[in-house]
Amino acid sequence: MANDRVFNFSAGPSMLPLEVLQRAGAEITNYNGSGMSVMEMSHRSKVFMKIFDDTQEKFRKLLNVPEGYKVLFLQGGGTMQFSMVPLNLMGATGKADYAVTGHFAKLAKKEADKYGTTTDATPMDAFTAIPAQDKLKLSADASYFYYCSNNTIEGTQWQYVPETGSVPVACDMSSDILSRPIDVSKFGLIYAGAQKNLAPAGLTIVIIREDLAGKELPITPAIMNYKHMIDKDSMYNTPPCWCIYMLGLMCDWLESQGGAAGIEKLNIKKANMLYEALEGTKLFQLSAQKEARSFMNVTFRTGSDELDDKFVKASVEQGFTNLKGHRSVGGMRASIYNAMPMEGVEALCDFVRKFDKEN
């Protein structure tokens, strides 16, 4: 890391690889001899259309997106998808199953309730675990089954893809997309706000099975219509050009890391190192149940609000940022997405052990 860079453990927007930022910086005023920045060029220009097409191709290759699926580069964040998913998919039966295992899935279900009838497929007293397949309450007449693969606030992660028979699976993968290989064919729809693992805030990626598009509710706005956006190749309006360009750079970087399989090995190593360091202390308690622990967001606490505050303040002095837990749950949270280098996790582990001994 450069000497003036901190280890940023933010849950999002999160850190990007230094080499990606440096490449973007080198090209920021004159991209590829065009005489202008990507931020200045027309989204219809040949120069940008090549960026767009190349980025689509790189992304599809990295995630191994099969034929019969479309990739959309949209805006509005994951939050807009809370509405877009039911508006476009609920029409089949007017019903949907939601696995409410965290804060954002709960918000998504609440939004979907405006457009049809939703059922909680995973009634839970606390968001500290992920239910096993045989604990899911599935409806045969649901238009789709929805879940969030990684819960950033609670620090839990699904380690399997739910089996739902003929009911399409819709998944919010905002915080773990391309952190590990996935079988896209198991999903009807995947979406991800890019600001955690793939690009700056402003880009939302949607991967949709083509046969699911075109069945939207009559009230669906054009800008929120998947079929409309497919027909317009994500360019019904001006797309988030700079973020798409940055996604392309991130795809190049991920390829250099060995793709999804290569980065998964690194992510597992980082997470296990941090969990082992925390388990080896007397002071810290892990928030998520062991079998449900996230490889992206490690949540922990001391059991004392005063000590939690002391830890967060001391961490800033050590060159760490954004270790404070979400305001709704407190404690601490270390987000260790793709771009967090091993040395950042090693430094945090050393700090955890030092703080434990001193307190």
Side-chain angles (χ1 to χ4, degrees), residues 7-9 15 266 270 335-342 344-345:
F7 289 117
N8 179 11
F9 290 92
M15 67 184 300
L266 187 62
K270 290 187 298 186
S335 297
I336 49 176
Y337 301 123
N338 287 349
M340 174 57 65
M342 185 65 72
V345 178

Side-chain angles (χ1 to χ4, degrees), residues 73-345:
F73 293 153
L74 308 179
Q75 297 170 79
T79 305
M80 193 161 91
Q81 294 305 310
F82 295 170
S83 297
M84 282 187 77
V85 171
L87 280 167
N88 285 270
L89 303 186
M90 188 80 88
T93 66
K95 300 177 182 179
D97 286 341
Y98 274 69
V100 182
T101 58
H103 174 78
F104 291 109
K106 185 177 181 180
L107 291 181
K109 181 182 181 299
K110 184 179 179 181
E111 192 68 19
D113 285 337
K114 298 176 181 178
Y115 309 110
T117 302
T118 67
T119 301
D120 186 351
T122 55
M124 305 174 73
D125 295 326
F127 295 149
T128 59
I130 297 296
Q133 174 71 44
D134 61 4
K135 299 296 183 183
L136 299 179
K137 297 184 177 181
L138 303 174
S139 307
D141 61 345
S143 296
Y144 60 91
F145 172 93
Y146 177 103
Y147 77 110
C148 178
S149 58
N150 184 74
N151 298 299
T152 57
I153 293 175
E154 297 81 11
T156 61
Q157 186 175 28
W158 292 68
Q159 301 302 338
Y160 72 98
V161 178
E163 294 182 13
T164 58
S166 61
V167 176
V169 175
C171 184
D172 173 0
M173 262 184 217
S174 293
S175 53
D176 63 356
I177 192 166
L178 269 176
S179 68
R180 56 184 177 179
I182 59 164
D183 183 353
V184 175
S185 69
K186 291 184 177 181
F187 299 86
L189 180 142
I190 295 168
Y191 74 81
Q195 68 272 14
K196 300 175 187 292
N197 262 322
L198 294 179
L203 170 65
T204 307
I205 301 165
V206 172
I207 307 160
I208 183 169
R209 207 174 72 206
E210 286 185 72
D211 66 299
L212 293 176
K215 302 171 185 176
E216 67 282 346
L217 297 176
I219 60 170
T220 305
I223 194 71
M224 297 174 75
N225 185 325
Y226 290 136
K227 183 65 167 63
H228 195 60
M229 298 307 281
I230 289 170
D231 291 344
K232 298 295 183 180
D233 199 16
S234 302
M235 293 198 186
Y236 173 64
N237 64 330
T238 306
C241 299
W242 173 259
C243 296
I244 292 168
Y245 156 75
M246 288 296 292
L247 173 62
L249 300 191
M250 276 298 296
C251 286
D252 291 340
W253 180 81
L254 278 166
E255 187 68 38
S256 75
Q257 304 300 305
I263 203 71
E264 179 187 38
K265 291 177 183 177
L266 187 62
N267 287 332
I268 289 173
K269 188 175 180 181
K270 290 187 298 186
N272 285 341
M273 181 189 300
L274 182 52
Y275 281 122
E276 286 170 10
L278 289 163
E279 284 181 322
T281 67
K282 294 180 180 179
L283 186 62
F284 294 102
Q285 307 151 20
L286 287 157
S287 304
Q289 293 183 18
K290 191 166 187 174
E291 64 278 5
R293 288 176 186 169
S294 170
F295 290 101
M296 297 282 95
N297 311 96
V298 178
T299 51
F300 57 102
R301 61 184 68 245
T302 65
S304 160
D305 291 343
E306 184 180 346
L307 273 177
D308 287 353
D309 290 341
K310 183 179 179 182
F311 177 88
V312 172
K313 288 176 183 176
S315 73
V316 175
E317 296 170 5
Q318 296 297 313
F320 307 122
T321 62
N322 295 303
L323 281 167
K324 187 179 179 68
H326 191 270
R327 60 187 178 276
S328 65
V329 295
M332 281 77 70
R333 170 176 55 178
S335 297
I336 49 176
Y337 301 123
N338 287 349
M340 174 57 65
M342 185 65 72
E343 62 183 304
V345 178

